[in-house]
Amino acid sequence: MTTADEPNPLRAARFWRAATALDHLPPDDGAEVAFAGRSNAGKSSAINTLTGQAALARVSKTPGRTQELLFFCLDERRRLVDLPGYGYAATSAARRRDWGETIPAYFAARQCLRGLLLFMDVRHPLQVGDRQLLAIAGELALPVQPVLTKADKLGRGALNSALRSVERALAEYPAVLPALPLSSLNGAGAQALRRQVLAWLEEDAAAG
């Protein structure tokens, strides 16, 4: 059961560094959780909601704003990684190609990567890029937590229907957890997602 005053260790997250290529990544140790999603899926707002910080991740009405891998550290061994958004038609072909190569390579290369949060607008889930990401994660046995953002845009019945539909579609992908709704407007669903992120990050402590 969630409580309003439950501690939020993710509040400690601070911007650390940005990387534009694999050779710019920080040392591959500790534990990381990555955040991915289509441009304008509400990923930046979700990061701010989960960390309890209003402006940790830059929120923009312009899709494709995040164009680097952004690392946020909780401490010396635990990190959150904001990946570039995908699927924005106005992005240059060269940039789309770079992302299409860099992100899968990042997944494959990082031994410290414990899990992936995949953010999708609840009204437009499982677009082509989302399915490609799920397939790549499946090949690498990378655990994925699907997150249906902007849950406040739907009534309870429509939201439950959307969740059921996504669950049926996700059945074909291995290593995928049940989808969870999130509203960055009112914070509904944030506690459950924080617990998943922290569970992944604590795998480093358990291993040590």
Side-chain angles (χ1 to χ4, degrees), residues 17-41:
R17 61 192 292 183
T20 56
L22 293 182
D23 56 2
H24 297 161
L25 296 178
D28 188 6
D29 57 17
E32 292 176 357
V33 172
F35 296 71
R38 285 175 53 83
S39 298
N40 217 25

Side-chain angles (χ1 to χ4, degrees), residues 41-173:
K43 176 166 58 72
S44 296
S45 294
I47 291 172
N48 292 338
T49 298
L50 292 176
T51 60
Q53 301 184 49
L56 181 64
R58 293 182 60 185
V59 178
S60 173
K61 292 184 179 179
T62 303
R65 188 74 172 188
T66 303
Q67 298 190 5
E68 302 168 304
L69 283 77
L70 304 178
F71 288 80
F72 302 90
C73 61
L74 274 66
D75 51 40
E76 292 182 353
R77 294 189 58 82
R78 299 184 300 169
R79 298 173 295 276
L80 310 177
V81 188
D82 185 10
L83 303 179
Y86 50 84
Y88 181 42
T91 303
S92 71
R95 174 61 69 177
R96 288 198 301 271
R97 183 173 61 252
D98 288 345
W99 293 347
E101 295 173 355
T102 299
I103 292 177
Y106 161 74
F107 289 163
R110 299 295 277 181
Q111 297 299 312
C112 63
L113 182 59
R114 300 292 184 257
L116 171 70
L117 265 63
L118 173 57
F119 295 94
M120 300 178 286
D121 187 324
V122 67
R123 299 163 299 178
H124 312 289
L126 294 171
Q127 300 294 306
V128 173
D130 303 325
R131 292 178 179 274
Q132 291 174 341
L133 208 60
L134 286 166
I136 293 168
E139 292 174 1
L140 298 171
L142 174 64
V144 180
Q145 172 63 74
V147 184
L148 299 182
T149 62
K150 307 182 184 182
D152 50 272
K153 300 293 185 181
L154 299 180
R156 179 176 297 180
L159 177 59
N160 288 336
S161 177
L163 283 168
R164 289 193 296 270
S165 177
V166 169
E167 280 303 297
R168 288 193 294 270
L170 289 175
E172 65 181 278
Y173 299 99

